[in-house]
Amino acid sequence: MTRKLLLDVDPGLDDALAMYMALGSDAVDVVGVTTVMGNTAIEHTTHNALSLLEFVGRSDVPVAKGAAKPFADELTMAEYIHGEGGIPAPIRDRLPEPTTDPVGDHAADFIVDQARKHDDLTIAAVGPQTNVALAIAKEPELPSLVDGIYQMGGALKTTGNVTPQASFNFYVDAPAAARVVQDGYPHVVGLDVTEPAYVPSKVVDRFDGQNEYRQVVSDILRLKADNETGSFGFDGTVASDSVVLAGILDDVLTFEDAYVAVDTTSGPSNGATIYDEHGVYGEEPNCKAAVDVDPDRCRDVIVESLERLG
Ligand code: RIB
Ligand code: CA
């Protein structure tokens, strides 16, 4: 059965892949894309989303522009990974200028509207959590209106990727991440499962030189690998947002009900995920934490759904 899916993104290289996976899959119907600042500024993430949709002939998908700033902190961007403007010039120059504009609604309003409109909506929030937190602030019933909220963020038992303890998406807007975890009963898909499912270089080769779309996919994967191999030592691309999508499209992740808190203290552990694995706080679970991944199956889902689009 086709599920309705809303993508909240900060494209961003792996955000682009997540969008293309969703558009390529017949398991989900993408009802809209909402943009958030994160990897780059909101003007760029919004332009990139529109342009990525235009490139694959899907400018019919509505895009709603969202938060330009985190709640409390100034924006930390990840252009050092994703390139200036969120998609580096050699790839961005091959994408068309958008012929459409964002819809008039703010992303937070768009999310609430879509949740009310569809009774089977899944939200994949693969950037900083600001838009979803705003949507919950506006409509506290949001979590019960949707089928599920999947977050890309967190580092349960592993180290962070922006500070030693924090994953980028939770670090950028820790209070927003905390709000979504506290109130949204989300699926928390963190670096513990996204990193082992990195896309190896040899898999990237199969996208090379086949058509314009597949070459862009290949270049995105290769460029991100080049940027990350030096820092983290993976022989391939950690495409975290794609792993979230694989977890929505197929049964590649194992989730456990757990109690998680997000550090909002602004100190050295800001944005860290406090995962109460053994229940020492005695709190009721507040999320479904991804504790394991089938890396091979996950890679297959990523590759197959990307290939299905073109
Ligand atoms: O981890 C850095 C960024 O890359 C995050 O936005 C994540 O979602 C990915 O896009
Ligand atoms: Ca992202």
Side-chain angles (χ1 to χ4, degrees), residues 123-292:
I123 298 173
V126 297
Q129 303 292 298
T130 321
N131 288 337
V132 181
L134 278 169
I136 292 174
K138 281 173 165 268
E139 173 48 277
E141 294 304 316
L142 181 78
S144 62
L145 295 174
V146 298
D147 253 15
I149 300 171
Y150 285 70
Q151 302 177 295
M152 191 287 115
L156 304 184
K157 292 165 68 172
T158 188
T159 50
N161 62 355
V162 62
T163 68
Q165 291 200 324
S167 73
F168 178 82
N169 286 343
F170 281 12
Y171 175 83
V172 167
D173 196 341
R179 169 60 62 213
V180 179
V181 173
Q182 271 166 231
D183 290 0
Y185 217 100
H187 290 70
V188 180
V189 182
L191 301 174
D192 309 72
V193 292
T194 67
E195 290 182 345
Y198 69 87
V199 182
S201 309
K202 64 176 188 305
V203 173
V204 179
D205 294 345
R206 66 189 263 183
F207 286 96
D208 274 338
Q210 295 176 20
N211 61 39
E212 234 185 317
Y213 158 73
R214 289 195 184 185
Q215 192 58 52
V216 162
V217 168
S218 159
D219 291 349
I220 287 175
L221 285 163
R222 194 161 283 118
L223 221 137
K224 194 154 188 297
D226 290 348
N227 289 347
E228 272 171 343
T229 306
S231 322
F232 298 105
F234 298 106
D235 177 26
T237 306
V238 178
S240 293
D241 299 350
S242 315
V243 176
V244 176
L245 255 290
I248 292 172
L249 300 178
D250 209 319
D251 203 12
V252 304
L253 298 173
T254 305
F255 291 97
E256 275 179 12
D257 291 290
Y259 177 77
V260 162
V262 178
D263 187 301
T264 57
T265 52
S266 299
S269 57
N270 190 55
T273 323
I274 296 134
Y275 165 53
D276 189 6
E277 183 182 9
H278 303 296
V280 295
Y281 286 155
E283 297 282 353
E284 288 297 315
N286 60 358
C287 69
K288 290 187 175 292
V291 294
D292 202 6

